[in-house]
Amino acid sequence: MGTKTAAILFTACLLLSACTANKPESAATSNQQDSVASDSSNSAKDQSSVSSPKSSSKQAGSDDHNSAGKTNAQNDKTIESNEIGAATSATTNNKMYHLNKAYNVIPNQQGTEKKVVLLTFDDGPKEAAMINKIIDVLDKHKAKAIFFVNGYRVKEHPELLKLIHDRGQPIGNHSWDHIVLKNKSEPEVKKQIESVQKVVKDITGQAPVFFRPPHGAGGDVGRKVAKENGLLYMTWSVGSLDWTMKKNQPNKTEALLKNVTEQLHPGSNILMHELPWTAEALDSLLTRLEQKGYQFVDPQSIEVPASK
């Protein structure tokens, strides 16, 4: 009996010793897991604090209202600045088209609509009634067009330039005096182009980004000066021939429609002018183009060179 009791007690002591020895290791493992979870939780809080400066400022505000107010305002300005910068960058880089050597509008990426036309009007601004009539038609068809203006006309009627701008149409540079530039000296070409850049910016707040040389003749110097001013140099690929028409010529609308549609192709860069018969024919022309499956490219989606 005594021997059995001693054996039982000895066995129990061994078991108790083994259980006691295992407890610290298990507890240590548990503590390590808790520590990792705690660090992870604190890290998440820290990240939340860093990524949410407004929240951080509000917490600081309970201790020092004035200091927190300044910090919050600074953070808001930083965020606003970053957002504006990102938006500007996206706008700058979001160009869907470019012009090729033939001045046709070409998609930058596969899958972008190819069947588009670019609408342009030269030699303005002339008359408010005619400008409004043209833009009314453009608005009806949800279209934008580049209005290439001459500096001397802008100087005479700055209100007409402002009218075009205020109605949301892009303005292009068509030189100051509408003269052939290709044989002129570089200083004279610079004056013809840069004077228009200045007057348009003074009136509208924005300098043109498109340049069309009068008579389609800018020469190498015209191209150089245009590029230096961040202007995309272009002539045209489809001429409406509206400038050849006379006031008393019959059937001008049909003639204009025929001139354009016979040359029409995807990416057409269509040359028109601020002329009464062009304004009269415009609705029919745009309707005809739409019926043929064409869309009107927004000039703002076309790449332009960076100024030096």
Coordinates of all heavy atoms in Angstrom, one line a residue, residues 250-291:
P250 N -25.1 81.8 -108.0 CA -26.2 81.0 -107.6 C -25.7 79.6 -107.0 O -24.6 79.2 -107.3 CB -27.0 80.8 -108.9 CG -25.9 80.9 -110.0 CD -24.9 81.9 -109.5
N251 N -26.6 79.0 -106.2 CA -26.3 77.6 -105.7 C -25.0 77.5 -105.0 O -24.3 76.5 -105.1 CB -26.4 76.6 -106.9 CG -27.7 76.7 -107.6 OD1 -28.8 76.8 -107.0 ND2 -27.6 76.6 -108.9
K252 N -24.7 78.5 -104.2 CA -23.4 78.4 -103.5 C -23.4 77.3 -102.4 O -22.4 76.7 -102.2 CB -23.1 79.8 -102.8 CG -22.7 80.9 -103.8 CD -22.2 82.1 -103.1 CE -23.3 82.9 -102.4 NZ -24.3 83.5 -103.3
T253 N -24.6 77.1 -101.8 CA -24.7 76.0 -100.8 C -24.3 74.7 -101.3 O -23.5 73.9 -100.8 CB -26.0 76.0 -100.1 OG1 -26.3 77.2 -99.4 CG2 -26.2 74.9 -99.1
E254 N -25.0 74.4 -102.5 CA -24.7 73.1 -103.1 C -23.3 73.0 -103.6 O -22.7 71.9 -103.5 CB -25.7 72.8 -104.3 CG -27.1 72.5 -103.8 CD -27.1 71.3 -102.9 OE1 -26.4 70.3 -103.2 OE2 -27.8 71.3 -101.9
A255 N -22.7 74.0 -104.1 CA -21.3 74.0 -104.5 C -20.4 73.7 -103.4 O -19.4 73.0 -103.5 CB -21.0 75.4 -105.2
L256 N -20.7 74.4 -102.2 CA -19.8 74.2 -101.1 C -19.9 72.7 -100.6 O -18.9 72.1 -100.3 CB -20.2 75.1 -99.9 CG -19.3 75.2 -98.7 CD1 -19.3 76.6 -98.1 CD2 -19.6 74.2 -97.7
L257 N -21.1 72.2 -100.5 CA -21.3 70.8 -100.1 C -20.6 69.8 -101.0 O -19.9 68.9 -100.5 CB -22.8 70.5 -100.1 CG -23.7 71.1 -99.0 CD1 -25.2 70.8 -99.2 CD2 -23.2 70.7 -97.6
K258 N -20.7 70.1 -102.3 CA -20.0 69.2 -103.3 C -18.5 69.3 -103.1 O -17.8 68.3 -103.2 CB -20.4 69.6 -104.7 CG -19.8 68.7 -105.8 CD -20.3 69.2 -107.2 CE -19.7 68.3 -108.2 NZ -20.1 68.7 -109.6
N259 N -18.0 70.5 -103.0 CA -16.5 70.7 -102.8 C -16.0 69.9 -101.6 O -14.9 69.3 -101.7 CB -16.2 72.2 -102.6 CG -16.4 73.0 -103.9 OD1 -16.4 72.4 -105.0 ND2 -16.6 74.3 -103.7
V260 N -16.7 69.9 -100.5 CA -16.2 69.2 -99.3 C -16.4 67.7 -99.4 O -15.5 66.9 -99.2 CB -16.9 69.8 -98.1 CG1 -16.6 68.9 -96.8 CG2 -16.6 71.2 -97.8
T261 N -17.6 67.3 -99.8 CA -17.9 65.8 -99.8 C -17.1 65.1 -100.9 O -16.8 63.9 -100.7 CB -19.4 65.6 -100.0 OG1 -19.8 66.2 -101.2 CG2 -20.2 66.1 -98.8
E262 N -16.7 65.7 -102.0 CA -15.9 65.1 -103.0 C -14.5 64.8 -102.5 O -13.8 63.9 -103.0 CB -15.9 65.9 -104.3 CG -17.2 65.8 -105.1 CD -17.1 66.5 -106.4 OE1 -16.1 67.3 -106.6 OE2 -18.0 66.3 -107.3
Q263 N -14.0 65.6 -101.6 CA -12.6 65.4 -101.0 C -12.6 64.7 -99.7 O -11.6 64.3 -99.2 CB -12.0 66.8 -100.8 CG -11.9 67.7 -102.0 CD -11.4 69.1 -101.6 OE1 -10.3 69.3 -101.3 NE2 -12.4 70.0 -101.7
L264 N -13.8 64.4 -99.1 CA -13.9 64.0 -97.8 C -13.3 62.6 -97.5 O -13.3 61.7 -98.4 CB -15.4 63.8 -97.4 CG -15.8 63.6 -96.0 CD1 -15.3 64.8 -95.1 CD2 -17.3 63.4 -95.9
H265 N -12.6 62.5 -96.4 CA -11.9 61.3 -96.0 C -11.7 61.3 -94.5 O -11.7 62.4 -93.9 CB -10.6 61.1 -96.7 CG -9.6 62.2 -96.5 ND1 -9.6 63.4 -97.3 CD2 -8.7 62.5 -95.5 CE1 -8.7 64.2 -96.8 NE2 -8.1 63.7 -95.8
P266 N -11.5 60.2 -93.8 CA -11.3 60.2 -92.4 C -10.1 61.1 -92.0 O -9.0 61.0 -92.6 CB -11.0 58.7 -92.1 CG -11.8 58.0 -93.1 CD -11.7 58.8 -94.3
G267 N -10.4 61.9 -91.0 CA -9.3 62.9 -90.6 C -9.3 64.2 -91.3 O -8.3 65.0 -91.1
S268 N -10.2 64.4 -92.2 CA -10.2 65.7 -93.0 C -10.1 66.9 -92.1 O -10.8 67.1 -91.1 CB -11.5 65.8 -93.8 OG -11.6 64.8 -94.8
N269 N -9.2 67.8 -92.5 CA -9.0 69.1 -91.9 C -9.6 70.1 -92.8 O -9.1 70.5 -93.8 CB -7.5 69.3 -91.7 CG -7.2 70.6 -91.1 OD1 -8.0 71.5 -90.9 ND2 -5.9 70.8 -90.7
I270 N -10.9 70.5 -92.5 CA -11.7 71.3 -93.5 C -11.5 72.8 -93.3 O -11.8 73.3 -92.3 CB -13.2 70.9 -93.3 CG1 -13.4 69.4 -93.5 CG2 -14.0 71.7 -94.3 CD1 -14.8 68.9 -93.2
L271 N -11.1 73.4 -94.4 CA -10.9 74.9 -94.4 C -12.2 75.6 -94.9 O -12.7 75.3 -96.0 CB -9.8 75.3 -95.4 CG -9.6 76.7 -95.7 CD1 -9.3 77.6 -94.5 CD2 -8.5 76.9 -96.8
M272 N -12.7 76.5 -94.0 CA -13.8 77.4 -94.4 C -13.5 78.8 -93.9 O -12.4 79.0 -93.3 CB -15.1 76.9 -93.7 CG -15.6 75.5 -94.2 SD -17.0 74.9 -93.3 CE -16.2 74.3 -91.8
H273 N -14.3 79.7 -94.2 CA -14.1 81.1 -93.9 C -15.4 81.7 -93.3 O -16.5 81.2 -93.4 CB -13.7 82.0 -95.1 CG -12.3 81.6 -95.6 ND1 -12.1 80.5 -96.4 CD2 -11.1 82.2 -95.5 CE1 -10.9 80.4 -96.7 NE2 -10.2 81.4 -96.2
E274 N -15.1 82.8 -92.6 CA -16.3 83.6 -92.0 C -16.9 84.4 -93.2 O -16.6 85.6 -93.4 CB -15.8 84.5 -90.9 CG -15.5 83.8 -89.6 CD -15.2 84.8 -88.5 OE1 -15.8 85.9 -88.5 OE2 -14.5 84.4 -87.6
L275 N -17.7 83.7 -93.9 CA -18.4 84.3 -95.1 C -19.9 84.0 -95.0 O -20.3 82.9 -94.4 CB -17.9 83.7 -96.4 CG -16.4 84.0 -96.7 CD1 -15.9 83.1 -97.9 CD2 -16.3 85.5 -97.1
P276 N -20.8 84.9 -95.5 CA -22.2 84.7 -95.3 C -22.7 83.4 -95.9 O -23.6 82.7 -95.3 CB -22.8 85.9 -96.1 CG -21.7 86.9 -96.1 CD -20.4 86.2 -96.1
W277 N -22.2 83.0 -97.1 CA -22.7 81.8 -97.7 C -22.2 80.5 -97.0 O -22.9 79.5 -97.0 CB -22.4 81.7 -99.2 CG -21.0 82.2 -99.6 CD1 -19.9 81.4 -99.6 CD2 -20.6 83.5 -99.9 NE1 -18.8 82.1 -100.0 CE2 -19.2 83.4 -100.2 CE3 -21.2 84.7 -100.0 CZ2 -18.5 84.5 -100.6 CZ3 -20.5 85.8 -100.4 CH2 -19.1 85.7 -100.7
T278 N -21.1 80.6 -96.4 CA -20.6 79.5 -95.6 C -21.5 79.3 -94.3 O -21.8 78.2 -94.0 CB -19.1 79.7 -95.2 OG1 -18.4 79.9 -96.4 CG2 -18.6 78.5 -94.4
A279 N -21.8 80.4 -93.7 CA -22.7 80.4 -92.5 C -24.0 79.8 -92.9 O -24.6 79.1 -92.1 CB -22.8 81.8 -91.9
E280 N -24.5 80.2 -94.1 CA -25.8 79.7 -94.6 C -25.8 78.2 -94.9 O -26.8 77.5 -94.6 CB -26.2 80.5 -95.9 CG -27.6 80.3 -96.3 CD -28.6 80.8 -95.4 OE1 -28.4 81.8 -94.7 OE2 -29.7 80.2 -95.2
A281 N -24.6 77.7 -95.4 CA -24.6 76.3 -95.8 C -24.1 75.4 -94.6 O -24.2 74.1 -94.8 CB -23.6 76.2 -96.9
L282 N -23.7 75.9 -93.5 CA -23.1 75.1 -92.5 C -24.0 74.0 -91.9 O -23.5 72.9 -91.7 CB -22.5 76.0 -91.4 CG -21.7 75.3 -90.3 CD1 -20.4 74.7 -91.0 CD2 -21.3 76.3 -89.2
D283 N -25.2 74.3 -91.6 CA -26.1 73.3 -91.0 C -26.3 72.1 -92.0 O -26.2 71.0 -91.6 CB -27.4 74.0 -90.7 CG -28.3 73.0 -89.9 OD1 -27.8 72.2 -89.2 OD2 -29.6 73.1 -90.0
S284 N -26.4 72.4 -93.3 CA -26.6 71.4 -94.3 C -25.3 70.5 -94.4 O -25.3 69.3 -94.5 CB -26.9 71.9 -95.6 OG -28.2 72.6 -95.6
L285 N -24.2 71.2 -94.3 CA -22.9 70.5 -94.4 C -22.7 69.6 -93.2 O -22.3 68.4 -93.4 CB -21.7 71.5 -94.5 CG -20.3 70.9 -94.4 CD1 -20.1 70.0 -95.6 CD2 -19.3 72.0 -94.4
L286 N -22.9 70.1 -92.0 CA -22.7 69.2 -90.8 C -23.7 68.1 -90.8 O -23.3 67.0 -90.4 CB -22.7 70.1 -89.5 CG -21.7 71.2 -89.4 CD1 -21.7 71.8 -88.0 CD2 -20.3 70.8 -89.9
T287 N -24.9 68.3 -91.2 CA -25.9 67.3 -91.3 C -25.4 66.2 -92.3 O -25.5 65.0 -92.0 CB -27.3 67.8 -91.7 OG1 -27.7 68.8 -90.7 CG2 -28.3 66.7 -91.8
R288 N -24.9 66.6 -93.4 CA -24.5 65.7 -94.4 C -23.3 64.9 -93.9 O -23.2 63.7 -94.1 CB -24.0 66.5 -95.7 CG -23.6 65.6 -96.9 CD -24.8 65.1 -97.7 NE -25.6 66.2 -98.1 CZ -25.5 66.8 -99.3 NH1 -24.5 66.4 -100.1 NH2 -26.4 67.7 -99.7
L289 N -22.4 65.5 -93.2 CA -21.2 64.8 -92.6 C -21.7 63.7 -91.6 O -21.2 62.6 -91.6 CB -20.3 65.8 -92.0 CG -19.6 66.8 -92.9 CD1 -18.7 67.7 -92.1 CD2 -18.8 66.0 -94.0
E290 N -22.6 64.1 -90.8 CA -23.2 63.2 -89.8 C -23.8 62.0 -90.5 O -23.7 60.8 -90.0 CB -24.1 63.9 -88.8 CG -23.4 64.8 -87.9 CD -24.4 65.7 -87.1 OE1 -25.5 66.0 -87.6 OE2 -24.1 66.0 -85.9
Q291 N -24.6 62.3 -91.5 CA -25.3 61.2 -92.2 C -24.2 60.2 -92.8 O -24.6 59.0 -93.0 CB -26.1 61.8 -93.3 CG -27.4 62.5 -92.8 CD -28.1 63.3 -93.9 OE1 -27.6 63.5 -95.0 NE2 -29.4 63.7 -93.6

